[in-house]
Amino acid sequence: MEIIIDALNSNQRADKFVRKLLNEAPLSFIYKMFRQKDVKVNGKKVDISYILKEDDKVNIYITDTMLEKFHSNPVIRKVKPNLDVIYEDQNICIVNKPKGLIVHSDEHEKRITLQNIFINYLQANGEYDENKLNGFNPSPAHRLDRNTSGIVIMAKNLMAMKSLYELFKDKQLIKKTYLLLAYENKSIKNEGVIDLPLKKDNKTGLVNVCSTIKGGKEALTKYKVLKRYGKYLLIEAELVTGRTHQLRVHFANIGCPIIGDGKYGNFKVNSEFEQIYGLKNQFLHSHSFKFYKINGFLSYLSDKEFCAALPQVLEDVLQGIKNER
C-alpha cells in the first residue's frame, strides 16, 4: 500500500499516522512493522519518531486481508450540513454553535453532534472523502457545553489542530469572552477578577470552590458589567483559565448566579424566566475569540477578532427584562 502524504496528514510522527490508519491493530503489531522495515518513507526505513512531510511517499507492506482486518473508516452519520459559519479558510472554520447541540459524540448521542455536522459540511464542499485512507479527521479544537451557545473553532487539518492546541494551552495568545445574564443577590463591582480554585466531584459531576491545598485547580475569571436591569446584570466575562463549569460556579459563588443555570443557579428565578420567556437553560454565550500576535502556521490570524451574535431566544430575554423596567 502506497500513500502520498498531503497537507492534511503532514507534520505528524510516522507511528501515529500508521496507528490512525490501522486503527484496529494492536500497538505491538504497529511497532513490529517498523522493526521489520514494513514501513518505509521515500523508499527508506524510518524511525517511529520520523516527522512526515507533505509529498512524502509512505509504503506500508501489509496484505489485503490484514488491511481489511486492521483498518476501518470512521463512521460518518448523514445529517444536514447546517453550520452558522462566522469565518472560514483552508485551515479552520469558526462557527456559532446553537445551544442544545453537543460538540463531540457521547454515549447518548453520536449523530447530531457539531463534529459530525462539520464532517458532512466538508463532504458537501468536496473537502473530505470518507473513503480515502488518512490519519486525521477534521474536528472541533475545543469544547463548549451542550447548553452554551456561541463560538467554536474547528480544525480542517492536523497542523491547524496542533497550532490551536498550543494557543489554548498557552492562554496568553488568545482571549475568550462570554456574555451572561446574572441575578444579583449580592452587590458586586462593575468590573473585577474572580480568583477561586475549583475542584470537580467525579461522583456528582458538580464543581465546587476548593483550596489548591485540598486539590483545587487555579481558576481565574475577569468580568465587566455591561448593563444593569434592576437585579439582573448583563456581564462580559473573560476566561483566563478554562475549568469545567468555571463561569457558572464563579458567579454563583460571588452572589450572582447565571439565569437559567439548573445546577448552580437560583431555582426560583430560573422558574420565573422559564414561565415568562421559555428559557430552559443557562443564559451563557461564547461571544468572542481574539487572537493576539501569534507565530507559526496560523500567524495570519494575528490581531483578528471573531464575534458570535446572541441567539434570538437570548435577545428576546434581554428585550423582555428591558421592557419590564
Side-chain angles (χ1 to χ4, degrees):
M1 176 174 58
E2 182 176 285
I3 301 168
I4 304 298
I5 299 299
D6 57 15
L8 193 70
N9 291 296
S10 62
N11 294 288
Q12 63 177 310
R13 282 173 46 140
D15 63 327
K16 289 189 175 181
F17 174 75
V18 176
R19 284 172 60 183
K20 291 173 184 175
L21 193 65
L22 304 179
N23 49 1
E24 302 291 338
L27 286 178
S28 57
F29 179 83
I30 301 294
Y31 294 132
K32 183 179 180 181
M33 291 186 74
F34 278 90
R35 289 197 305 271
Q36 295 183 344
K37 304 180 184 180
D38 288 334
V39 178
K40 292 184 178 180
V41 178
N42 301 324
K44 299 178 181 179
K45 175 190 175 183
V46 294
D47 187 75
I48 60 173
S49 60
Y50 174 82
I51 303 299
L52 295 170
K53 306 178 191 65
E54 190 171 355
D55 296 326
D56 272 348
K57 184 187 297 183
V58 178
N59 289 99
I60 301 176
Y61 299 96
I62 185 172
T63 66
D64 291 342
T65 301
M66 295 299 281
L67 177 61
E68 184 177 346
K69 177 181 179 181
F70 288 141
H71 171 77
S72 63
N73 283 322
V75 177
I76 307 301
R77 296 170 171 85
K78 298 300 179 183
V79 293
K80 289 184 178 180
N82 296 332
L83 285 177
D84 183 359
V85 178
I86 298 170
Y87 170 85
E88 183 176 10
D89 61 33
Q90 71 275 19
N91 299 312
I92 67 169
C93 184
I94 302 177
V95 304
N96 188 354
K97 182 189 85 70
K99 73 172 185 175
L101 179 67
I102 61 174
V103 173
H104 297 91
S105 64
D106 60 17
E107 64 271 21
H108 304 295
E109 180 58 69
K110 299 186 182 300
R111 179 171 170 268
I112 309 300
T113 70
L114 183 60
Q115 180 174 17
N116 195 43
I117 293 172
F118 182 46
I119 293 291
N120 278 266
Y121 173 81
L122 294 178
Q123 279 187 319
N125 292 339
E127 295 185 68
Y128 183 84
D129 182 357
E130 64 183 311
N131 296 313
K132 182 179 179 181
L133 294 174
N134 65 69
F136 174 81
N137 287 315
S139 176
H142 59 104
R143 292 182 177 275
L144 195 64
D145 286 349
R146 177 195 288 268
N147 290 316
T148 299
S149 57
I151 286 184
V152 177
I153 304 179
M154 263 93 72
K156 292 184 176 183
N157 55 59
L158 184 65
M159 276 300 291
M161 182 65 81
K162 285 184 175 181
S163 298
L164 289 169
Y165 275 160
E166 289 302 314
L167 289 175
F168 292 134
K169 183 179 178 181
D170 185 274
K171 297 184 177 66
Q172 303 299 316
L173 299 175
I174 191 168
K175 177 182 178 181
K176 296 185 288 183
T177 67
Y178 289 72
L179 293 178
L180 60 95
L181 187 67
Y183 172 70
E184 183 181 33
N185 55 32
K186 185 190 295 183
S187 180
I188 70 166
K189 298 178 181 178
N190 283 333
E191 58 183 273
V193 177
I194 308 172
D195 184 2
L196 295 171
L198 301 175
K199 183 178 181 180
K200 183 177 181 180
D201 186 327
N202 292 323
K203 292 183 178 179
T204 64
L206 295 174
V207 176
N208 301 291
V209 172
C210 180
S211 69
T212 53
I213 296 175
K214 295 183 178 180
K217 294 182 179 180
E218 179 189 17
L220 200 65
T221 300
K222 297 179 181 179
Y223 73 88
K224 178 168 62 176
V225 177
L226 299 179
K227 201 159 188 177
R228 292 178 181 266
Y229 304 85
K231 278 286 187 181
Y232 308 123
L233 310 177
L234 180 64
I235 297 173
E236 179 185 82
E238 177 189 346
L239 272 181
V240 180
T241 55
R243 307 302 179 195
T244 300
H245 298 173
Q246 178 175 317
L247 295 179
R248 297 163 67 185
V249 179
H250 269 181
F251 283 97
N253 273 271
I254 65 168
C256 287
I258 296 175
I259 300 294
D261 188 343
K263 287 188 175 181
Y264 310 101
N266 183 302
F267 300 130
K268 180 181 178 182
V269 173
N270 290 351
S271 179
E272 292 174 356
F273 269 76
E274 182 174 358
Q275 290 177 17
I276 298 172
Y277 303 108
L279 185 68
K280 298 181 182 296
N281 304 107
Q282 66 264 17
F283 190 122
L284 182 59
H285 177 72
S286 177
H287 178 240
S288 73
F289 267 79
K290 180 176 181 179
F291 295 91
Y292 293 113
K293 182 65 177 178
I294 57 179
N295 299 314
F297 189 69
L298 297 178
S299 60
Y300 62 89
L301 294 173
S302 291
D303 301 320
K304 286 184 169 56
E305 184 172 11
F306 303 95
C307 297
L310 276 175
Q312 191 60 50
V313 64
L314 300 187
E315 287 282 10
D316 290 344
V317 170
L318 292 181
Q319 188 61 44
I321 60 176
K322 178 182 178 181
N323 294 336
E324 284 181 7
R325 297 181 67 197

